[in-house]
Amino acid sequence: MAAITESGTPIAIDGSRKTRRSLTKARIRWVIAALIVIFGAVAGRLVQLGMVEQDNTIEGQTRDLITASRPAILDRNGLELAVDIRVPSLFAEPRRIIDVEEAAQAIHSVLPDINIDWLRQRLTGDKGFVWIKRELTPAIQERIMQLGIPGLDFVTESKRFYPGGTESSHILGAVNIDNQGIAGMEKDMDDEGVALLQSIGLARGNELEPVNLSIDLRVQHVMHNVLADALTRYKAIAAAGVMMDVHTGEILGLVSLPDFDPNNPVTALEKDRFNRITSGIYELGSTFKTVTMAAALDSGKVRVTDSFDARFGVRFGRFTIDDFHGKHRVLTVPEIYKYSSNIGTIKVMQALGKDEFRAFLTELGFDKPAPIELPERRQPKVPEKFSEIVAATASFGHGLSISPLHMVRAISAFVNGGDLPVPTLYRTTPEEAEKRYQPVVSEETSERIRYLMRLNALEGSGSRMNKFAAGYRAGGKTGTAEKVVNGRYDSSKSLAVFASAFPLDNPRYAMVILVDEPRSENEQSGRTAGWNAGEATGRIVQRVAPMLGISPEFSDILDQKLVPAELR
């Protein structure tokens, strides 16, 4: 069909309409395509931004790991030793920062301790996440939020808090800023599986069960208090102590001074802040005579009724070993122990035999680090073979170095009936402990060692300990060892040690206390171990025994029962 104009020219109406329709459809298609491109770009950006917001890492670490919790650490009675608190940490997304200078100045106004140049550098670039300041207070978080700066945000982290401060630092250890264990039981817990739970996101909030340690916070407090007093009282450079359940191997208290604040882990790097109980090794002096007596009596080659000639020093070539305060007469075995005779102890060891004596040290585990959960342990120094003179000096604790933990473990075996327990900082039942026992001496030998230790408290070098711990049937052995300085023994510097157990009529606890380089408290006192490490031991026993359910008994009937039948 065609239309005719006034001039008579025909027009193709249908063709024109078709042409216009085609153009309209084409325009619509182009508009739709353009809209698709535009919305696609917007959607893509939204997806990109969404992916940034959902990015599960911050500077190479997953959010699950950063926000992970740690289980609370409790003492054996449920008191808190370490807990998590939730704290805000500030991070930035530099690619969203509009004005770097403005943002840097604003942040610096709230956090003036941050270097402004460092802030500018931190906020520049296209990174998705960078830390600005971790572990802030809620008040600081609020002030940062009021700045209204795009690209700043917070993540809630877990911060470790130790309510007792320094008191249990060498037991608990510390964590780093990422809440990962770096020392002590914190590190052991990570090695045992906490780190795995954190890495897979199962350690969030308060989901992890608390961990109960063997530590008794009451004992820990008393030991820390008494040893801190000893540092001042005896003007010492260090002091340390450990108490063990003789049947289960559980550690009830462990202190090493100087210590550090686990709430500020950098203090652990200060001089002499190491754990002297597990990673310190020492010549423990005459406390070793208990080891020598146990070995000799258990062999059957020496009896508690035997006597040895201690009139003259023992010569080895051009060297002569004598007694500090010698009686210079024939001494019985109990007298050798209570008078701390080097001569008599050498004679006892020689009756046993140097090779048998060396083998006994291996049985006690003195060849390797004492087994315990703490990673801070050290290899002892015990000669592989003993010559005659090395065996002689070793019999009274010189020429070999072990940790105090080695000694408290051995003392536990000597008084508990002869079974060497495995030290542990976790709660342990007697049944579990017995599965790991290693018999080292007989019950009869154990009875005789208990008698000797109590005798020394009543009549020997442990009498000053007994003055404070009267009624609790404690006993033990002193050790005063000259320290080695530049390869030679220095008589002006000594290590004082007291190795004890209580109550000896029914042994429950063993303890080793050391005071490093003590001085005389006053003009009437001495520098040997009975005056310092011994007295500190007595003060601890006096305070903790009632807490542990041990009643005082001032009758001598129980002491008489400790005397072996052959000596009655």
Side-chain angles (χ1 to χ4, degrees):
M1 178 180 178
I4 299 175
T5 65
E6 292 180 354
S7 63
T9 304
I11 298 175
I13 297 176
D14 289 345
S16 177
R17 288 177 177 172
K18 289 179 180 179
T19 299
R20 285 197 297 270
R21 280 196 212 101
S22 297
L23 290 172
T24 300
K25 289 180 180 180
R27 291 190 187 102
I28 291 172
R29 282 195 296 269
W30 279 108
V31 169
I32 292 173
L35 289 173
I36 290 174
V37 170
I38 292 170
F39 281 113
V42 172
R45 180 59 175 163
L46 289 174
V47 170
Q48 182 183 15
L49 292 174
M51 289 179 67
V52 169
E53 295 296 333
Q54 296 299 319
D55 189 342
N56 199 38
T57 64
I58 295 179
E59 294 198 342
Q61 289 188 293
T62 66
R63 284 174 178 259
D64 282 342
L65 189 58
I66 290 171
T67 60
S69 299
R70 300 182 66 80
I73 302 178
L74 313 177
D75 86 332
R76 65 189 302 112
N77 300 310
L79 299 177
E80 291 180 338
L81 297 172
V83 294
D84 270 2
I85 57 176
R86 307 295 280 173
V87 294
S89 291
L90 174 65
F91 69 89
E93 299 179 65
R95 58 190 171 202
R96 291 180 55 194
I97 299 293
I98 298 172
D99 188 325
V100 171
E101 182 62 26
E102 179 187 7
Q105 292 291 343
I107 295 171
H108 189 261
S109 69
V110 179
L111 299 171
D113 58 318
I114 299 181
N115 182 277
I116 189 70
D117 292 329
W118 180 87
L119 260 178
R120 293 189 187 100
Q121 182 182 6
R122 201 73 169 151
L123 298 175
T124 302
D126 60 355
K127 291 184 179 179
F129 294 91
V130 293
W131 286 119
I132 301 299
K133 184 75 172 180
R134 301 176 72 174
E135 298 181 353
L136 300 172
T137 65
I140 294 295
Q141 179 186 26
E142 180 64 24
R143 291 180 61 188
I144 293 290
M145 293 177 68
Q146 289 176 357
L147 297 176
I149 300 174
L152 297 183
D153 205 347
F154 295 87
V155 62
T156 300
E157 296 190 83
S158 291
K159 175 180 172 61
R160 205 60 159 165
F161 177 64
Y162 303 90
T166 64
E167 197 163 274
S168 302
S169 57
H170 285 294
I171 299 168
L172 300 171
V175 299
N176 61 19
I177 198 168
D178 294 316
N179 219 24
Q180 298 167 335
I182 56 174
M185 293 302 290
E186 295 281 24
K187 187 174 190 310
D188 179 72
M189 286 164 48
D190 278 13
D191 293 343
E192 291 297 316
V194 169
L196 174 61
L197 294 176
Q198 291 178 334
S199 66
I200 60 178
L202 296 180
R204 304 291 297 274
N206 297 312
E207 296 177 2
L208 299 181
E209 288 294 321
V211 175
N212 281 89
L213 299 187
S214 61
I215 295 300
D216 188 316
L217 197 52
R218 302 169 302 173
V219 173
Q220 183 72 14
H221 174 74
V222 169
M223 186 175 287
H224 190 278
N225 180 264
V226 171
L227 291 176
D229 172 73
L231 280 180
T232 303
R233 185 185 296 266
Y234 308 116
K235 304 175 185 65
I237 64 170
V242 58
M243 182 185 294
M244 175 186 286
D245 184 309
V246 303
H247 299 291
T248 64
E250 293 173 295
I251 303 297
L252 275 75
L254 187 156
V255 174
S256 179
L257 302 177
D259 51 17
F260 64 94
D261 185 359
N263 292 307
N264 185 18
V266 71
T267 58
L269 301 178
E270 295 176 8
K271 185 181 178 182
D272 293 333
R273 261 58 178 179
F274 67 96
N275 185 344
R276 287 168 167 77
I277 297 299
T278 62
S279 60
I281 58 171
Y282 307 93
E283 294 187 1
L284 294 179
S286 291
T287 60
F288 226 86
K289 289 171 181 172
T290 308
V291 176
T292 304
M293 287 295 182
L297 291 172
D298 199 63
S299 71
K301 296 179 180 179
V302 175
R303 296 171 297 176
V304 74
T305 55
D306 288 346
S307 298
F308 293 85
D309 188 352
R311 291 176 297 169
F312 311 105
V314 182
R315 289 188 60 85
F316 294 94
R318 59 191 180 93
F319 298 102
T320 299
I321 299 176
D322 209 336
D323 287 338
F324 183 58
H325 291 302
K327 298 299 178 181
H328 297 110
R329 61 176 174 83
V330 174
L331 299 175
T332 64
V333 165
E335 287 177 328
I336 290 171
Y337 192 80
K338 76 175 182 178
Y339 295 139
S340 199
S341 170
N342 293 338
I343 300 170
T345 303
I346 293 172
K347 297 288 183 70
V348 168
M349 182 278 299
Q350 289 174 337
L352 166 66
K354 64 180 180 65
D355 294 334
E356 289 82 356
F357 179 50
R358 179 62 186 82
F360 186 68
L361 303 187
T362 295
E363 285 187 54
L364 294 176
F366 287 0
D367 292 345
K368 53 190 176 183
I372 197 170
E373 293 83 6
L374 295 177
E376 296 82 22
R377 297 184 296 153
R378 188 175 169 191
Q379 178 70 31
K381 293 182 179 179
V382 181
E384 187 175 347
K385 292 185 178 181
F386 279 173
S387 64
E388 292 292 341
I389 189 170
V390 169
T393 58
S395 71
F396 54 87
H398 287 264
L400 73 175
S401 300
I402 61 172
S403 72
L405 186 62
H406 283 99
M407 182 57 74
V408 78
R409 185 188 186 202
I411 295 295
S412 294
F414 297 158
V415 301
N416 73 6
D419 296 311
L420 191 68
V422 176
T424 182
L425 281 159
Y426 288 113
R427 289 292 302 272
T428 304
T429 66
E431 293 74 24
E432 292 170 336
E434 287 173 7
K435 294 176 183 177
R436 300 193 292 171
Y437 273 174
Q438 178 187 340
V440 289
V441 297
S442 67
E443 174 62 47
E444 290 74 18
T445 298
S446 179
E447 290 176 358
R448 284 152 182 75
I449 293 298
R450 293 199 295 268
Y451 160 70
L452 293 176
M453 291 175 69
R454 182 58 179 157
L455 176 69
N456 193 53
L458 296 173
E459 303 177 9
S461 60
S463 58
R464 298 200 64 81
M465 177 277 299
N466 195 55
K467 181 183 75 170
F468 293 94
Y472 295 110
R473 291 88 68 201
K477 187 72 187 73
T478 52
T480 306
E482 293 180 357
K483 296 176 67 174
V484 176
V485 179
N486 297 324
R488 302 185 66 178
Y489 287 105
D490 186 341
S491 60
S492 68
K493 299 179 184 297
S494 63
L495 179 76
V497 191
F498 198 90
S500 63
F502 69 98
L504 285 171
D505 58 303
N506 181 24
R508 290 175 57 185
Y509 305 103
M511 183 162 51
V512 171
I513 298 295
L514 64 86
V515 181
D516 197 350
E517 296 187 21
R519 299 181 184 178
S520 300
E521 182 180 0
N522 50 54
E523 293 181 358
Q524 289 73 40
S525 62
R527 292 174 52 198
T528 53
W531 290 92
N532 38 72
E535 286 193 358
T537 298
R539 292 187 179 99
I540 293 171
V541 172
Q542 181 185 51
R543 292 173 60 179
V544 304
M547 300 175 184
L548 298 172
I550 301 172
S551 301
E553 173 60 63
F554 296 97
S555 169
D556 63 355
I557 294 176
L558 295 177
D559 290 334
Q560 293 172 4
K561 289 182 178 179
L562 289 171
V563 180
E566 58 267 41
L567 292 177
R568 292 176 188 169

